[in-house]
């Protein structure tokens, strides 16, 4: 029984780390050592394994043979064998214990050590054997947080399956970037710069002229960091039942830093991350630790062809792409509907300044001859619901983009008429790619908030869509199609795509009486419906005046007649 259980010092496993505080993207090297006592060379060595765990859950298990060959989880890992005793030292011994009996050494080296036999001096014991390896791992894909590392010698025998080391800890933090040369002492950014995450899936752009301050209101002119981690249970529970985090949570630091005006962050995602989600409704949210709630951020560009979102941010915190489950009845496989990842056969092109873009949403569709093509949009800040037309030719995969603007389009030289609700650029493919020669029956569907109509005392009949072309704003045929408690819906026919404006045009505004019109003494020619140039009042008002005047004459005449009769 003593031999089977083995002495405590038979095998001693150790693991240490060269850098216990790496940032994401840095390499970390683990020094793995196995000390096998000279009198216990009968211990079989099937393989070694390096186990990394976070908060008690295994996250990486790297297995390798005694000669350093990786057996599993080799991505981003290299092993450098420092000391591996040669086979002649342990080779094919008889597997005898110190009492010269066969097959007892922990019950491993049975029948001349077949399959095992890792013992010095043909199984008769000898000097202690030391195995040592440098195991180097790239941390780009690691979540931020505290990890435990443990190494094991696996015997492949049920009597004693493994010998284990104590755990050693290390902490992975977000990737840091030195920004000292880009930010002045007052916090003003002197050059537009970018900070990219270790995996390259998050790209932070800080424009020239931005005021960057830390949480204490001081200049943020030392460093910034981008880290990624999995959403914890608290974050997950704060989402609705139909929502889920796409990929990982992005930690931007230092936490609490603020920016004026907004900075932009691009979030890339994989198709595998959005399985079962409505890609057109992906959004960016930040987790408010004070309220325990997710709060939406403004998405200024949505590209389902290249799988990314760009959002405006005014502070640093924890952010994530959040998706909503697709409706069960949604037509997922319709080739002419919008959506889908992959490369575009004709991407939308725009020279609009990014500071003027409130929201940019991009959708894709395959354009087939003699088919009705529809691009559907779902961003809350985007008033355009869909763009559709009938294709006359095959054009392949083409992207359509809506740029909702803060102000007038840079392509327009004048403001649209009326009271402006929203202004936007609408592009399908490259400029001029989708025109009357390749498509017909162009139709734009859009929505207007009821609250905006009510606050501005506007009737839905006054809503028009204008298109800017040939240096003019041209009114498009517009009709109301539907309404609900929040929006009124419209559609307009258009001959093409360019800058557009949704406006309210009061067609009666030119005939509303202004103060003092009732006392206007302008001459009126009786029996003529026209007015003198510059005269005020309603068209036909003079005719009404004439009618009342004639009625007064008749009334007075009859009154005098009756008086004379009396």
């Amino acid at each position: 029984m003593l031999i089977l259980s083995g002495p405590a010092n038979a095998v001693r496993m150790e693991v240490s780390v060269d850098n216990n505080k790496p940032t994401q993207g840095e390499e970390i090297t683990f020094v793995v050592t196995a000390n096998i006592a000279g009198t216990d060379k009968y211990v079989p060595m099937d393989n070694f394994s390096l186990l990394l765990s976070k908060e008690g859950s295994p996250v990486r298990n790297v297995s390798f043979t005694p000669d350093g060959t990786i057996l599993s989880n080799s991505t981003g890992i290299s092993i450098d064998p420092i000391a591996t005793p040669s086979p002649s030292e342990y080779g094919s011994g008889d597997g005898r214990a110190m009492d010269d009996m066969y097959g007892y050494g922990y019950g491993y080296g049975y029948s001349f050590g077949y399959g095992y036999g890792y013992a010095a001096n043909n199984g008769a014991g000898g000097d202690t054997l030391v195995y040592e390896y440098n195991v180097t791992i790239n941390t780009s894909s690691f979540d931020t947080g505290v990890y435990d590392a443990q190494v094991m010698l696996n015997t492949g025998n049920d009597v004693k399956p493994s010998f284990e080391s104590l755990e050693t800890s290390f902490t992975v933090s977000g990737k840091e970037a030195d920004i000292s040369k880009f930010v002045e002492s007052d916090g003003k950014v002197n050059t537009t710069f970018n900070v990219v995450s270790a995996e390259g899936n998050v790209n932070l752009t800080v424009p020239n002229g931005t005021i960057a301050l830390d949480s204490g209101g001081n200049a943020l002119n030392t460093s910034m960091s981008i880290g990624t981690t999995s959403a914890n249970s608290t974050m997950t529970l704060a989402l609705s039942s139909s929502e889920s985090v796409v990929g990982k949570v992005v930690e931007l630091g230092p936490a609490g830093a603020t920016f004026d005006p907004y900075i932009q962050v691009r979030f890339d995602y994989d198709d595998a991350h959005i399985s079962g989600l409505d890609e057109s409704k992906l959004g960016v949210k930040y987790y408010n630790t004070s309220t325990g709630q997710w709060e939406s951020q403004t998405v200024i560009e949505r590209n389902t062809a290249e799988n990314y979102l760009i959002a405006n941010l005014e502070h640093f915190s924890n952010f994530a792409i959040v998706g909503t489950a697709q409706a069960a009845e949604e037509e997922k496989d319709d080739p002419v509907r919008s959506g889908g990842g992959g490369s575009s056969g004709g991407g939308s092109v725009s020279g609009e300044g990014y500071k003027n873009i409130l929201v940019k949403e991009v959708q894709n569709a395959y354009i087939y001859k003699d088919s009705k093509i529809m691009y559907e949009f779902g961003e809350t800040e985007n008033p355009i619901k869909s763009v559709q037309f009938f294709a006359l030719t095959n054009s392949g995969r083409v992207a359509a983009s809506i740029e909702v603007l803060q102000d007038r389009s840079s392509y327009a030289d004048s403001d649209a008429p009326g009271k402006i609700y929203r202004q936007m650029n609408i592009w399908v493919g490259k400029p001029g790619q989708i025109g009357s020669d390749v498509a017909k029956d162009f139709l734009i569907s859009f929505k207007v908030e009821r609250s905006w109509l009510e606050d501005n005392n506007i009737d839905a009949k006054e809503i028009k869509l204008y298109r800017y072309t040939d240096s003019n704003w041209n009114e498009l045929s517009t009709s109301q199609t539907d309404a609900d408690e929040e929006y009124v819906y419209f559609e307009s026919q258009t001959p093409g795509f360019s800058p557009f404006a949704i406006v309210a045009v009061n067609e009666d505004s030119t005939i509303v009486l202004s103060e003092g019109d009732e006392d206007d003494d302008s001459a009126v020619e009786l029996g003529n419906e026209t007015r003198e140039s510059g005269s005020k009042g309603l068209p036909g008002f003079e005719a009404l005046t004439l009618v009342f005047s004639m009625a007064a004459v008749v009334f007075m005449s009859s009154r005098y007649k009756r008086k004379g009769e009396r």
Side-chain angles (χ1 to χ4, degrees):
M1 292 299 294
L2 177 62
I3 294 175
L4 288 175
S5 62
N9 64 347
V11 177
R12 187 174 75 253
M13 301 299 301
E14 297 177 352
V15 60
S16 60
V17 61
D18 68 337
N19 178 11
N20 63 359
K21 291 184 179 180
T23 60
Q24 284 180 323
E26 286 187 330
E27 291 187 336
I28 181 172
T29 297
F30 300 90
V31 180
V32 173
T33 305
N35 289 276
I36 302 178
T39 57
D40 298 295
K41 294 304 190 305
Y42 307 107
V43 174
M45 299 171 62
D46 190 24
N47 61 73
F48 291 103
S49 60
L50 174 63
L51 177 64
L52 306 181
S53 59
K54 186 172 183 283
E55 297 177 355
S57 300
V59 295
R60 187 73 66 90
N61 192 352
V62 183
S63 298
F64 56 96
T65 64
D67 65 1
T69 301
I70 300 176
L71 298 174
S72 65
N73 292 321
S74 61
T75 303
I77 298 174
S78 63
I79 295 181
D80 179 20
I82 303 302
T84 56
S86 67
S88 62
E89 293 185 72
Y90 49 83
S92 55
D94 294 338
R96 302 178 226 176
M98 293 306 292
D99 58 4
D100 210 31
M101 298 296 293
Y102 292 101
Y104 285 103
Y106 298 155
Y108 303 134
Y110 186 79
S111 187
F112 297 96
Y114 290 159
Y116 306 115
Y118 290 96
N121 298 329
N122 291 326
D127 295 335
T128 297
L129 298 183
V130 178
Y131 297 81
E132 185 174 350
Y133 312 85
N134 285 341
V135 182
T136 302
I137 302 179
N138 187 287
T139 62
S140 294
S141 62
F142 281 45
D143 287 354
T144 57
V146 179
Y147 291 78
D148 291 316
Q150 186 178 39
V151 68
M152 286 160 280
L153 186 160
N154 301 304
T155 66
N157 190 285
D158 293 338
V159 176
K160 179 67 175 176
S162 64
F163 293 88
E164 304 169 354
S165 72
L166 297 175
E167 293 180 340
T168 188
S169 298
F170 63 98
T171 302
V172 177
S173 57
K175 178 183 177 182
E176 292 195 0
D178 182 0
I179 62 170
S180 57
K181 64 181 179 180
F182 302 120
V183 186
E184 305 294 343
S185 59
D186 59 356
K188 187 173 183 179
V189 176
N190 56 38
T191 305
T192 298
F193 66 91
N194 292 78
V195 179
V196 183
S197 66
E199 288 188 280
N201 61 331
V202 183
N203 191 323
L204 176 69
T205 300
V206 183
N208 182 23
T210 302
I211 302 300
L213 304 176
D214 63 19
S215 59
N218 302 309
L220 179 59
N221 57 359
T222 54
S223 65
M224 290 181 180
S225 65
I226 300 179
T228 55
T229 189
S230 301
N232 58 40
S233 58
T234 302
M235 292 178 175
T236 302
L237 290 173
L239 296 169
S240 69
S241 59
S242 62
E243 291 180 319
S244 60
V245 170
V246 175
K248 294 184 178 181
V249 174
V250 177
E251 301 172 332
L252 298 179
T258 59
F259 305 91
D260 184 21
Y262 295 113
I263 61 174
Q264 287 71 49
V265 180
R266 169 171 165 160
F267 301 86
D268 289 76
Y269 58 90
D270 296 328
D271 286 332
H273 293 153
I274 60 171
S275 177
L277 301 178
D278 187 340
E279 190 172 10
S280 67
K281 295 182 180 179
L282 295 179
V284 174
K285 296 187 176 184
Y286 98 90
Y287 184 71
N288 188 328
T289 56
S290 298
T291 63
Q293 301 295 322
W294 289 94
E295 299 182 13
S296 296
Q297 303 297 290
T298 299
V299 174
I300 63 172
E301 183 171 348
R302 179 193 308 278
N303 192 319
T304 58
E306 299 182 23
N307 289 13
Y308 69 81
L309 302 177
I310 298 179
N312 280 336
L313 302 183
E314 62 181 356
H315 69 283
F316 275 171
S317 183
N318 293 339
F319 297 84
I321 297 177
V322 175
T324 304
Q326 289 177 327
E329 67 274 11
E330 184 175 346
E331 299 175 12
K332 300 178 183 178
D333 301 321
D334 187 346
V336 299
R337 290 176 67 87
S338 64
S343 61
S344 171
S348 56
V349 177
S350 173
E352 190 68 52
Y354 75 89
K355 288 186 178 180
N356 193 36
I357 298 176
L358 176 64
V359 173
K360 182 173 182 178
E361 188 171 1
V362 180
Q363 295 294 335
N364 290 268
Y366 285 97
I367 297 181
Y368 298 103
K369 182 180 179 180
D370 298 330
S371 299
K372 180 181 178 181
I373 310 300
M374 177 181 289
Y375 296 89
E376 295 181 298
F377 303 91
E379 178 63 40
T380 302
E381 295 290 336
N382 183 3
I384 304 300
K385 296 294 293 177
S386 68
V387 172
Q388 56 184 296
F389 50 85
F390 187 85
L392 302 176
T393 64
N394 292 322
S395 300
R397 187 179 177 90
V398 177
S401 68
I402 312 294
E403 295 174 335
V404 184
L405 308 175
Q406 305 269 16
D407 205 344
R408 185 178 75 205
S409 171
S410 61
Y411 295 91
D413 296 327
S414 61
D415 291 328
K419 186 173 184 61
I420 296 174
Y421 173 66
R422 290 285 188 275
Q423 302 184 82
M424 71 288 297
N425 295 323
I426 301 179
W427 313 108
V428 178
K430 299 176 182 178
Q433 180 180 356
I434 305 300
S436 58
D437 57 332
V438 297
K440 65 177 183 178
D441 301 334
F442 299 96
L443 193 66
I444 297 174
S445 298
F446 62 95
K447 63 184 180 181
V448 177
E449 293 171 294
R450 275 189 177 276
S451 58
W452 184 82
L453 296 173
E454 294 169 358
D455 292 345
N456 292 279
N457 195 28
I458 293 172
D459 192 297
K461 293 184 293 185
E462 301 172 21
I463 295 298
K464 302 292 181 183
L465 184 64
Y466 273 73
R467 179 185 180 225
Y468 186 84
T469 183
D470 297 329
S471 301
N472 289 300
W473 286 100
N474 301 291
E475 181 182 327
L476 302 178
S477 176
T478 303
S479 59
Q480 181 180 336
T481 59
D482 199 1
D484 56 31
E485 294 182 355
E486 191 172 359
Y487 296 100
V488 180
Y489 300 90
F490 305 85
E491 63 180 20
S492 295
Q493 297 175 340
T494 178
F497 304 107
S498 60
F500 290 83
I502 301 171
V503 302
V505 178
N506 186 346
E507 296 177 349
D508 297 328
S509 61
T510 59
I511 60 175
V512 175
L513 284 170
S514 59
E515 291 184 8
D517 284 343
E518 296 83 349
D519 299 324
D520 184 35
D521 293 326
S522 299
V524 177
E525 182 177 351
L526 298 179
N528 192 337
E529 294 181 358
T530 61
R531 297 178 293 164
E532 282 189 5
S533 176
S535 64
K536 301 178 182 179
L538 286 167
F541 181 73
E542 298 86 347
L544 291 173
T545 303
L546 178 61
V547 171
F548 283 121
S549 299
M550 292 178 66
V553 170
V554 172
F555 173 77
M556 294 301 295
S557 176
S558 63
R559 180 178 179 185
Y560 286 133
K561 183 178 180 181
R562 288 195 303 271
K563 183 176 181 181
E565 290 176 350
R566 289 197 301 269

